[in-house]
Amino acid sequence: MKVRVFVSLKNGVLDPQGRAIHHAIEGLGIHGVQDVRAGKMIELEVDASVTDAQLEDMASKLLTNTVIENYRIERVQP
Amino acid sequence: MSFRSAVITFPGSNCDRDMADALEKISGTAPHRVWHGDAALPDGLDFIALPGGFSYGDYLRSGAMAARSPIMQAVIAAANQGVPVLGVCNGFQVLTEAGLLPGALMRNAGIRFVCREVKLKVENTQSLFTAGYSAGQEITIPVAHHDGNYFADAETLDRLEGEGRVAFRYAEPVNGSARDIAGVLNAAGNVLGMMPHPERMIEPAHGGTDGRALFESAVRGLVGA
């Protein structure tokens, strides 16, 4: 089963990469973008036996640094 | 009495030799070299150093993989027993990722990698690592990092300042760090993390010697002059 973990910066945490991307978007001549926040998505292929609690563990203990990041776990239905 | 220290090397560490060299030159005893996959530290250590570099290629987050490597479990246990631990640059990132120091080190506010000498202000002169400096002393130490932008919530920053745990501050704009923090101590004072590289400033050939006092303070404090 596929699981996706979406990692994003917490509100209030400055995101210089997002700002640089925003800048580059404006450089494309596209206007109307209010804000850009960069995050990452980590895709895992897991056995059906992997529990939600284990996924929470992976996400909170390794995949994110909870000082600065939030995460959202999504099990992808085949 | 000889100074028993260890320098931990992770895959991608690149300042481990400089750190070992500084420790040997200043303490007179060569440090043990410990590999990330080792399960245990040598017995009876006086001092552990986590060097700079790009451990595990900075995969996931700077310091994130190293913080979960086998040897770090031993370093965390030693730190909790009071063994002094110095983390420089990537070593600082590893210490925050390992939970030994609060906060996190994020991408520099200016996006760019910063590699130059910077002026620092010594804020705390009571710690094992900083007793050799005078309060408010301005020193010059090089930085070389992409992720040195110190972040912690306001409450944590207030606590760090209130408890005298800010060891060094940048005396000039460098990377956007909260309250210009360049180095922080843990609550017990035996763990210091800092982005600037004191081991690169210990002899005149380096262009200055402002980093010496940090190692001298530690050696003097731990095994006597």
Side-chain angles (χ1 to χ4, degrees):
Chain A
M1 168 186 270
K2 209 181 275 305
V3 172
R4 293 193 177 122
V5 180
F6 295 86
V7 181
S8 56
L9 283 175
K10 286 184 172 173
N11 285 335
V13 175
L14 182 75
D15 179 11
Q17 288 171 113
R19 221 166 44 185
I21 295 166
H22 194 180
H23 218 76
I25 290 172
E26 286 171 344
L28 294 176
I30 301 168
H31 301 287
V33 176
Q34 300 302 322
D35 192 24
V36 179
R37 306 278 287 168
K40 59 190 136 194
M41 190 270 286
I42 298 164
E43 205 168 75
L44 301 87
E45 194 64 49
V46 304
D47 293 342
S49 61
V50 174
T51 64
D52 285 352
Q54 287 174 316
L55 290 172
E56 282 287 329
D57 256 16
M58 290 179 216
S60 62
K61 291 182 182 163
L62 175 63
L63 301 180
T64 60
N65 178 340
T66 55
V67 174
I68 48 172
E69 294 168 327
N70 290 321
Y71 62 85
R72 180 168 59 80
I73 299 168
E74 192 180 285
R75 282 185 187 263
V76 182
Q77 298 309 325
Chain B
M1 193 180 152
S2 75
F3 183 74
R4 283 177 63 83
S5 63
V7 175
I8 316 292
T9 300
F10 302 98
S13 295
N14 64 10
C15 305
D16 44 336
R17 193 174 186 284
D18 289 6
M19 182 65 82
D21 196 52
L23 286 167
E24 179 169 2
K25 282 186 172 143
I26 292 168
S27 74
T29 311
H32 293 272
R33 304 297 296 271
V34 178
W35 180 237
H36 76 115
D38 294 349
L41 291 163
D43 289 332
L45 286 178
D46 296 309
F47 192 89
I48 300 168
L50 304 182
F54 301 86
S55 57
Y56 302 85
D58 280 349
Y59 290 173
L60 195 60
R61 296 176 304 277
S62 299
M65 314 302 279
R68 287 145 184 97
S69 66
I71 197 62
M72 276 308 293
Q73 305 318 306
V75 172
I76 292 166
N80 288 333
Q81 283 161 21
V83 177
V85 179
L86 168 67
V88 169
C89 199
N90 188 224
F92 184 13
Q93 295 161 343
V94 173
L95 289 172
T96 59
E97 281 283 343
L100 286 172
L101 291 173
L105 291 142
M106 304 188 54
R107 184 52 41 104
N108 293 343
I111 297 286
R112 290 171 195 239
F113 193 96
V114 179
C115 183
R116 60 180 164 88
E117 289 177 5
V118 300
K119 295 233 180 305
L120 301 178
K121 194 169 153 223
V122 182
E123 291 285 337
N124 172 321
T125 55
Q126 309 300 313
S127 81
L128 174 74
F129 307 94
T130 57
Y133 296 103
S134 51
Q137 187 180 342
E138 201 173 86
I139 60 175
T140 300
I141 304 276
V143 296
H145 61 246
H146 210 166
D147 296 316
N149 179 354
Y150 186 73
F151 175 87
D153 58 40
E155 192 186 322
T156 303
L157 293 170
D158 289 345
R159 195 175 69 239
L160 288 174
E161 290 182 328
E163 294 173 358
R165 289 166 56 189
V166 175
F168 302 101
R169 270 187 229 270
Y170 299 108
E172 58 183 282
V174 175
N175 53 26
S177 281
R179 303 189 194 176
D180 299 318
I181 289 172
V184 296
L185 292 153
N186 69 342
N190 67 308
V191 178
L192 169 67
M194 60 191 293
M195 290 311 296
H197 287 270
E199 80 282 7
R200 294 191 190 172
M201 226 32 160
I202 63 152
E203 51 195 324
H206 291 163
T209 57
D210 283 353
R212 279 194 81 87
L214 189 148
F215 297 99
E216 286 167 352
S217 304
V219 172
R220 201 177 307 124
L222 292 164
V223 295

Tab-separated table of all heavy atoms in Angstrom, chain A residues 2 4 6 11 23 29 34 44 46-47 53 55-57 65 67 76:
chain	number	residue	atom	x	y	z
A	2	LYS	N	0.422	2.237	-0.742
A	2	LYS	CA	1.174	3.484	-0.815
A	2	LYS	C	0.695	4.444	0.281
A	2	LYS	O	-0.497	4.565	0.522
A	2	LYS	CB	0.946	4.110	-2.191
A	2	LYS	CG	2.106	4.951	-2.685
A	2	LYS	CD	1.819	5.560	-4.038
A	2	LYS	CE	2.126	4.661	-5.222
A	2	LYS	NZ	3.484	4.137	-5.298
A	4	ARG	N	1.467	8.455	1.652
A	4	ARG	CA	2.154	9.728	1.388
A	4	ARG	C	2.183	10.550	2.665
A	4	ARG	O	1.162	10.680	3.348
A	4	ARG	CB	1.452	10.508	0.284
A	4	ARG	CG	1.550	9.814	-1.050
A	4	ARG	CD	1.136	10.735	-2.203
A	4	ARG	NE	1.335	10.012	-3.458
A	4	ARG	CZ	0.367	9.776	-4.349
A	4	ARG	NH1	-0.844	10.240	-4.149
A	4	ARG	NH2	0.637	9.106	-5.444
A	6	PHE	N	2.957	14.287	3.824
A	6	PHE	CA	3.154	15.665	3.361
A	6	PHE	C	3.763	16.480	4.492
A	6	PHE	O	3.201	16.541	5.589
A	6	PHE	CB	1.821	16.287	2.921
A	6	PHE	CG	1.232	15.615	1.726
A	6	PHE	CD1	0.423	14.494	1.871
A	6	PHE	CD2	1.498	16.079	0.446
A	6	PHE	CE1	-0.120	13.847	0.758
A	6	PHE	CE2	0.962	15.451	-0.676
A	6	PHE	CZ	0.151	14.329	-0.513
A	11	ASN	N	3.115	27.504	10.367
A	11	ASN	CA	2.815	28.927	10.189
A	11	ASN	C	3.773	29.744	11.037
A	11	ASN	O	4.101	29.357	12.148
A	11	ASN	CB	1.385	29.233	10.640
A	11	ASN	CG	0.386	28.735	9.626
A	11	ASN	OD1	0.699	28.599	8.445
A	11	ASN	ND2	-0.828	28.431	10.089
A	23	HIS	N	9.434	34.646	-6.063
A	23	HIS	CA	10.160	35.618	-6.867
A	23	HIS	C	10.335	35.119	-8.302
A	23	HIS	O	10.133	35.854	-9.264
A	23	HIS	CB	11.541	35.803	-6.228
A	23	HIS	CG	12.019	37.197	-6.273
A	23	HIS	ND1	11.532	38.160	-5.419
A	23	HIS	CD2	12.946	37.788	-7.067
A	23	HIS	CE1	12.136	39.300	-5.699
A	23	HIS	NE2	13.002	39.100	-6.683
A	29	GLY	N	6.558	36.141	-15.340
A	29	GLY	CA	5.550	37.073	-15.842
A	29	GLY	C	4.147	36.700	-15.416
A	29	GLY	O	3.169	37.232	-15.921
A	34	GLN	N	-0.176	35.036	-4.368
A	34	GLN	CA	-0.063	35.802	-3.120
A	34	GLN	C	1.107	35.345	-2.249
A	34	GLN	O	1.772	36.133	-1.611
A	34	GLN	CB	-1.352	35.679	-2.299
A	34	GLN	CG	-2.593	36.195	-3.009
A	34	GLN	CD	-2.460	37.652	-3.408
A	34	GLN	OE1	-1.899	38.447	-2.657
A	34	GLN	NE2	-2.936	38.001	-4.587
A	44	LEU	N	5.833	6.343	0.684
A	44	LEU	CA	6.287	5.068	1.221
A	44	LEU	C	5.427	3.939	0.652
A	44	LEU	O	4.220	4.127	0.463
A	44	LEU	CB	6.161	5.040	2.755
A	44	LEU	CG	6.906	6.083	3.576
A	44	LEU	CD1	6.086	7.348	3.738
A	44	LEU	CD2	7.261	5.524	4.946
A	46	VAL	N	4.228	0.469	1.859
A	46	VAL	CA	4.228	-0.274	3.122
A	46	VAL	C	3.315	-1.493	3.062
A	46	VAL	O	2.356	-1.542	2.285
A	46	VAL	CB	3.797	0.629	4.318
A	46	VAL	CG1	4.669	1.859	4.416
A	46	VAL	CG2	2.335	1.024	4.204
A	47	ASP	N	3.643	-2.478	3.919
A	47	ASP	CA	2.786	-3.654	4.061
A	47	ASP	C	1.491	-3.240	4.755
A	47	ASP	O	1.475	-2.272	5.525
A	47	ASP	CB	3.476	-4.720	4.914
A	47	ASP	CG	4.695	-5.302	4.205
A	47	ASP	OD1	4.786	-5.132	2.970
A	47	ASP	OD2	5.548	-5.894	4.889
A	53	ALA	N	-0.400	3.990	13.966
A	53	ALA	CA	0.479	4.461	15.045
A	53	ALA	C	1.940	4.412	14.602
A	53	ALA	O	2.732	5.305	14.926
A	53	ALA	CB	0.273	3.609	16.299
A	55	LEU	N	2.966	4.701	11.514
A	55	LEU	CA	3.143	5.796	10.553
A	55	LEU	C	3.326	7.121	11.285
A	55	LEU	O	4.170	7.946	10.929
A	55	LEU	CB	1.943	5.872	9.601
A	55	LEU	CG	1.810	4.722	8.593
A	55	LEU	CD1	0.481	4.827	7.846
A	55	LEU	CD2	2.971	4.706	7.606
A	56	GLU	N	2.532	7.328	12.334
A	56	GLU	CA	2.672	8.539	13.160
A	56	GLU	C	4.082	8.626	13.737
A	56	GLU	O	4.699	9.689	13.764
A	56	GLU	CB	1.670	8.502	14.323
A	56	GLU	CG	0.250	8.852	13.943
A	56	GLU	CD	0.069	10.337	13.672
A	56	GLU	OE1	0.769	11.159	14.290
A	56	GLU	OE2	-0.769	10.671	12.813
A	57	ASP	N	4.583	7.474	14.215
A	57	ASP	CA	5.921	7.407	14.784
A	57	ASP	C	6.982	7.826	13.775
A	57	ASP	O	7.855	8.620	14.071
A	57	ASP	CB	6.220	5.962	15.220
A	57	ASP	CG	6.121	5.809	16.715
A	57	ASP	OD1	5.537	6.702	17.358
A	57	ASP	OD2	6.637	4.796	17.235
A	65	ASN	N	10.753	17.463	11.509
A	65	ASN	CA	11.268	18.064	12.731
A	65	ASN	C	10.120	18.901	13.267
A	65	ASN	O	9.789	19.954	12.711
A	65	ASN	CB	12.485	18.933	12.420
A	65	ASN	CG	13.021	19.604	13.670
A	65	ASN	OD1	12.323	19.739	14.671
A	65	ASN	ND2	14.268	20.024	13.610
A	67	VAL	N	9.712	20.840	15.545
A	67	VAL	CA	9.970	22.217	15.993
A	67	VAL	C	9.531	23.201	14.897
A	67	VAL	O	9.034	24.285	15.183
A	67	VAL	CB	11.478	22.422	16.314
A	67	VAL	CG1	11.786	23.872	16.625
A	67	VAL	CG2	11.904	21.527	17.471
A	76	VAL	N	-2.941	5.957	0.429
A	76	VAL	CA	-3.485	6.046	-0.924
A	76	VAL	C	-4.201	4.737	-1.247
A	76	VAL	O	-3.587	3.679	-1.252
A	76	VAL	CB	-2.361	6.299	-1.952
A	76	VAL	CG1	-2.944	6.445	-3.343
A	76	VAL	CG2	-1.573	7.536	-1.552
